[in-house]
Every structure is written in structure tokens, then in C-alpha cells.
Amino acid sequence: MRVESGSAQERGILLESLATLLEKTTASHQGPASGNWRLTDLLPPEVCSLLNPAAIYANNEISLRDVEVYGFDYDYTLAQYADALHPEIFSAARDILIEHYKYPEGIRKYDYNPSFAIRGLHYDIQKSLLMKIDAFHYVQLGTAYRGLQPVPDEEVIELYGGTQHIPLYQMSGFYGKGPSIKQFMDIFSLPEMALLSCVVDYFLGHSLEFDQAHLYKDVTDAIRDVHVKGLMYQWIEQDMEKYILRGDETFAVLSRLVAHGKQLFLITNSPFSFVDKGMRHMVGPDWRQLFDVVIVQADKPSFFTDRRKPFRKLDEKGSLQWDRITRLEKGKIYRQGNLFDFLRLTEWRGPRVLYFGDHLYSDLADLMLRHGWRTGAIIPELEREIRIINTEQYMHSLTWQQALTGLLERMQTYQDAESRQVLAAWMKERQELRCITKALFNAQFGSIFRTFHNPTYFSRRLVRFSDLYMASLSCLLNYRVDFTFYPRRTPLQHEAPLWMDQLCTGCMKTPFLGDMAHIR
């Protein structure tokens, strides 16, 4: 027998049960009440194990038993840097803008704010908008900033022709660069986004006319000058204990792989003198004996696509040699070159090669899509985000959001005045909870992996370009060298969840730190 949609009997039963649920939920927020009922009672049993910040997460099934060759980027892969580096980059680039590009002296009042931006944001150059975009090219409302000020949702929608959607042609360059929109993908871009926002904020606050494209290019060039002039290299070299993190763990990873008969190589854009000093600090003076091939100043990502640049050998002092390269020798240092000659000289091809890097475009995209290598993304932010996900506040907030979403979906059938009033109240509460959850990660932009509910554009590229992702290279120490990583079978929208660890949104089981300790 079919129950008519919106029948008084069905609506009355549903409202009564929901009233009881709301009463219990309210009591759970106010402390222990009658019956010792808690919001976590909404969660299926045995599915809320805490996520492990030191775990490796798989997008694609991969067995390390099949991997014979391991490759690495250097910056933010082999060498993890402390956040203390970011204000140095910001201040130096700010001063370059003032002293060399003749920007107003008043900009010097701005200091680096580490809590402002997150990785993966997009910047619309012509609109001076820094914003977060989801996997479907929609701007997450409430995350668009011009300078340091939020832009009202209505204005954002008006700027894009009455929609939150950014057309594919504006933002879909293979390396994250559209004709007028850039995506900030590496960790070094955090001070760049901060400086860009501060300079725009100053110009707007002082009613100064400016060309958005010129301002963007000047800031980008100032940040580039910090790297090109070697300032960042100097700061790190002068105090490696301060700036380089987990050096002993990097040494442990490399030594372990070599001990198990794996071949190693390094491809980095950084210069030899800088890499050499950093590796000596982390590994020791004989670090080159761990690697079968070392390539510096590779000029990625063009290293992966441009066949014209030959390899050049460097001597012990870092000076270029002129002899033709017919083989890549262990213990030697090579500069530039290209991947096609690399493949020809080493014969390292396909899925037996696993390469790690922090930049999804410059390090991983070409290798996975065009050459069939396996890839691992280093995402340092993952550790902090997992610790937030593990908090009781996050789990309660997300669980009640999901409960409200289910209630809204069911109750929308009823269109009488009382039902519409209930729906409006739930919609308001759901939005408030979303904002609270977002602010747990970052007050302005939230998590780098999610908008309110959809994956971010960053997450979409992470899944597309990496087989594995982890907070740091040291996570490899938690697994045997023949370990097989299996991606969780996340149900599609038309599929029913079959496994207990898929029943609870946001609370999926992974190994505990303690459970994995014996693997080290």
C-alpha cells in the first residue's frame, strides 16, 4: 500500500521521532542527561577508530614488492622545511617590491600571517580574487577574498555571470594555469598568496588605482627573485637545525631501501651546492653512494616533456663539464637533461618505478599520465588535518551535519507551514555547523581537501596524479618494503555501503600508531 506523500499520519510520525532525536541531541550538547544518551550513539558501533597521521593512504592499489626503483624530489620531499621559512620568504619579497619595484613604503607594515591561506587555492588575476574551488569547478561561497577582506557571496556570483561556476577553459591548464586563473599548488606558494593579498589590501585601502595583471606579475617576480638570488638557500644553509626537519628519518628511509636492494635516484630543480649541504646534514658526507643517479637543476616540469636539453656532468666543485653523456654513473652529479634520455640510459620504465614529490603538477602529473610510473605525493598538511578529524568536536559536528542532511532530504516532501518552518531551522543549523567545521581547519578557507561536502579541486588532482599520499617520506618506515596498499572501496552514490568502515562518514578505520610500531 502506497502512503501518499505529505499525509498527515506519516508527517506526524516523522515529526514526533525527529522531535525526540532533537531533544536527545540538545541534551548531548548540554552535558550528561537522562539515559546517558550521546550524539556518538548515531554512529555505527566499531567504526570510529582514529585516523593515523603517520599512515600512507592509497588512491590506487600498489604493491611495493613490484617496485624496484625509487625516485625523489628534494625540497619538501627528502628535505622537509619548518614553517619558520615562510615569514622569511614573505619579508624578503615584500622588501624587494618596495626597494626594486618601487611599491609604496606603507606595504612594509604587513607581516606574514601563517593562518591566512592554504595550499590549492585559485587566484583570478583580473578580479584580484583568491578563492577555494571544488572538484566540480564551483567556488565555495564564503571563501573568496580580495586582499584581506572577504567578498560577499552575492558579489562573487555576480562577478561570474550569476553563477558560482568557473568555466573549464579559464582554469584547466595541465599545470594549473588558465588564461586568467592560477592555482597555487606548492608549499612555497603560501607566502606568495599572503604577500599578494597584503599588497592588494594596501592598494584598495588607500584607494590607489592599479592594474591587476601588473600587480600579480610583480609579486610573483618578487617571490621568484627570493629563489633566483639564492636568499632562501642561504637562510637554510646558515641554520639547518632550524629549517630542516626529520633529517634522521630521511636517512633511515633511504638506508632501508638500499639495504633491500632497491635502486634510488634524485631529480630536483635545486642547485647542487644547496642539495649537497642539505644531504650532508641529513645523511652524511657519503650520501651520493645511496643514489644510482642524481640530477640537479632539472627544470621540472619541462624536464618531463622537452627532449632537446642534454645532460651535463658536474665536477666535484659543481663546475660544468663538456663531455657527452652516454651513461649515467653512480656517485656522479648531472644537471638538466630530459626524461626521455633518462629512460633510454637507465631503462627504468613503467610501474616498477615509484617517484615521490610534493608538487602534483610539476613532480607527478606527467610521470603518471604519460609514462606510467607509480607516484607518491608528500602532503605535510595531512598530519594536522588528520589530528583535527580525530577530535571529538569534529566528529560530533560532522555526524550531526550528516544527520541533518538526511532529515532535510526526507522532510522536503512536506510543504505545509509547520514543516517548512522546521526545514528552515534545520537548513540554518546545518549551515552554521558547516561554518564551524570549516573554521576548525582554517578560518578563511577551511580544509585543503574538502569544501563543505565536495572534494576540493586540489583533492581531485591529488587523486588523479598520485597512487599514494602521505604527510612525509618517513611514513614509509611504518610499512614493510613488500607491503601492498589497497584503496578503500568508497561507495558510489548509487551503491550501498557494504563494509563497516564505510558506514560512518569521516570516521574510517586505519591502523593505529601503536599497531604499526612493530613494523619499524
Side-chain angles (χ1 to χ4, degrees):
M1 176 180 176
R2 180 176 178 272
V3 178
E4 289 298 322
S5 175
S7 69
Q9 180 182 10
E10 184 185 20
R11 180 170 57 84
I13 293 172
L14 182 57
L15 282 173
E16 182 178 351
S17 63
L18 294 179
T20 302
L21 180 59
L22 283 171
E23 181 182 349
K24 291 178 176 179
T25 304
T26 302
S28 76
H29 284 295
Q30 294 173 347
S34 59
N36 294 322
W37 193 91
R38 298 175 304 170
L39 181 59
T40 48
D41 292 343
L42 290 172
L43 307 179
E46 305 299 330
V47 300
C48 293
S49 297
L50 297 181
L51 293 164
N52 179 5
I56 293 176
Y57 297 90
N59 295 318
N60 193 17
E61 184 173 327
I62 173 174
S63 175
L64 298 185
R65 185 188 298 275
D66 300 329
V67 176
E68 301 171 8
V69 184
Y70 285 76
F72 305 92
D73 182 31
Y74 180 72
D75 296 303
Y76 281 106
T77 302
L78 288 176
Q80 288 255 336
Y81 298 128
D83 291 342
L85 190 61
H86 297 160
E88 299 282 2
I89 296 173
F90 176 94
S91 297
R94 177 200 62 200
D95 294 346
I96 289 172
L97 277 179
I98 296 169
E99 295 163 12
H100 297 282
Y101 292 81
K102 306 307 179 185
Y103 271 59
E105 180 67 30
I107 293 172
R108 210 184 296 272
K109 72 177 183 180
Y110 291 96
D111 294 318
Y112 178 67
N113 178 4
S115 301
F116 179 67
I118 60 173
R119 189 151 58 124
L121 300 179
H122 285 77
Y123 186 74
D124 189 319
I125 297 171
Q126 295 301 325
K127 298 177 176 62
S128 296
L129 276 186
L130 184 66
M131 55 194 168
K132 183 175 168 185
I133 296 177
D134 72 11
F136 302 95
H137 295 201
Y138 282 83
V139 180
Q140 180 182 357
L141 295 180
T143 67
Y145 279 72
R146 182 177 288 116
L148 300 175
Q149 301 302 317
V151 179
D153 296 343
E154 299 78 13
E155 183 178 342
V156 173
I157 292 171
E158 183 180 352
L159 285 170
Y160 291 102
T163 179
Q164 300 165 238
H165 185 262
I166 308 295
L168 180 66
Y169 72 88
Q170 289 189 20
M171 58 179 290
S172 69
F174 188 75
Y175 298 109
K177 297 178 182 179
S180 63
I181 295 179
K182 176 190 174 179
Q183 187 178 18
F184 291 101
M185 289 296 284
D186 66 358
I187 301 172
F188 287 131
S189 65
L190 290 173
E192 181 177 356
M193 286 185 278
L195 182 59
L196 189 59
S197 299
C198 288
V199 175
V200 171
D201 182 76
Y202 180 87
F203 274 71
L204 293 177
H206 290 78
S207 301
L208 300 175
E209 291 188 8
F210 65 97
D211 184 282
Q212 291 96 328
H214 293 336
L215 187 148
Y216 168 76
K217 185 176 186 304
D218 290 345
V219 171
T220 300
D221 288 349
I223 292 286
R224 182 205 61 198
D225 288 347
V226 173
H227 296 274
V228 171
K229 293 179 179 179
L231 297 178
M232 188 194 76
Y233 302 139
Q234 293 174 22
W235 302 326
I236 295 173
E237 290 172 4
Q238 288 169 4
D239 197 344
M240 292 189 182
E241 289 291 341
K242 176 182 178 181
Y243 291 114
I244 295 183
L245 308 175
R246 298 181 173 181
D248 56 337
E249 295 177 1
T250 295
F251 178 45
V253 169
L254 299 177
S255 300
R256 186 168 179 249
L257 292 174
V258 170
H260 283 83
K262 307 299 181 180
Q263 295 177 289
L264 310 183
F265 66 91
L266 170 64
I267 302 178
T268 176
N269 287 348
S270 292
F272 169 67
S273 60
F274 175 67
V275 173
D276 183 54
K277 290 173 183 175
M279 291 301 293
R280 285 173 180 270
H281 171 76
M282 293 186 289
V283 177
D286 298 326
W287 69 271
R288 280 188 278 169
Q289 295 307 312
L290 295 173
F291 292 88
D292 294 87
V293 178
V294 176
I295 300 167
V296 299
Q297 292 178 280
D299 194 25
K300 295 180 291 181
S302 65
F303 176 88
F304 300 125
T305 57
D306 191 343
R307 298 172 179 263
R308 296 170 297 175
K309 298 177 182 177
F311 285 110
R312 297 286 301 271
K313 188 187 294 184
L314 302 180
D315 64 17
E316 292 299 319
K317 297 181 179 179
S319 300
L320 284 171
Q321 304 297 290
W322 56 84
D323 48 324
R324 186 182 177 208
I325 304 302
T326 57
R327 61 194 180 107
L328 299 175
E329 301 176 67
K330 185 171 184 174
K332 303 297 182 181
I333 303 296
Y334 300 91
R335 176 180 165 180
Q336 212 164 56
N338 65 83
L339 183 66
F340 302 94
D341 285 343
F342 179 88
L343 297 175
R344 176 176 57 82
L345 295 172
T346 63
E347 298 184 350
W348 293 338
R349 298 177 184 276
R352 68 191 186 101
V353 183
L354 172 57
Y355 185 80
F356 293 91
D358 69 288
H359 198 300
L360 301 182
Y361 296 132
S362 297
D363 289 327
L364 307 181
D366 286 293
L367 295 177
M368 169 172 271
L369 300 183
R370 295 175 176 170
H371 300 284
W373 285 11
R374 311 310 292 267
T375 56
I378 305 300
I379 313 293
E381 300 95 334
L382 184 64
E383 182 172 358
R384 176 179 176 270
E385 294 229 355
I386 287 177
R387 295 193 188 282
I388 293 170
I389 289 171
N390 285 340
T391 62
E392 188 173 358
Q393 182 180 7
Y394 174 87
M395 287 190 281
H396 280 198
S397 177
L398 184 62
T399 301
W400 185 231
Q401 282 182 62
Q402 295 299 85
L404 281 171
T405 301
L407 299 177
L408 287 166
E409 185 175 28
R410 179 80 182 274
M411 276 294 293
Q412 64 183 319
T413 306
Y414 307 105
Q415 293 299 311
D416 60 281
E418 183 182 7
S419 297
R420 287 200 301 270
Q421 185 177 6
V422 172
L423 282 168
W426 286 345
M427 286 288 288
K428 182 175 182 292
E429 182 178 2
R430 178 172 177 257
Q431 183 61 27
E432 290 171 352
L433 282 169
R434 284 175 149 192
C435 293
I436 290 171
T437 306
K438 167 194 158 191
L440 292 176
F441 298 94
N442 176 278
Q444 291 75 231
F445 301 101
S447 166
I448 72 170
F449 299 104
R450 277 201 180 272
T451 57
F452 288 135
H453 52 280
N454 288 334
T456 58
Y457 195 85
F458 178 89
S459 287
R460 178 183 179 182
R461 310 317 268 175
L462 176 64
V463 171
R464 186 68 184 92
F465 298 147
S466 66
D467 294 289
L468 305 172
Y469 64 100
M470 65 211 74
S472 73
L473 205 60
S474 63
C475 295
L476 284 170
L477 297 173
N478 293 322
Y479 301 86
R480 295 188 331 212
V481 294
D482 62 351
F483 190 88
T484 298
F485 294 94
Y486 297 96
R488 188 175 294 107
R489 183 183 169 89
T490 305
L492 301 174
Q493 293 298 305
H494 66 278
E495 296 176 329
L498 300 178
W499 302 99
M500 288 300 290
D501 68 347
Q502 295 168 342
L503 291 173
C504 174
T505 303
C507 302
M508 301 179 183
K509 295 179 71 174
T510 61
F512 283 97
L513 282 167
D515 295 339
M516 302 176 68
H518 70 280
I519 301 177
R520 281 188 181 270

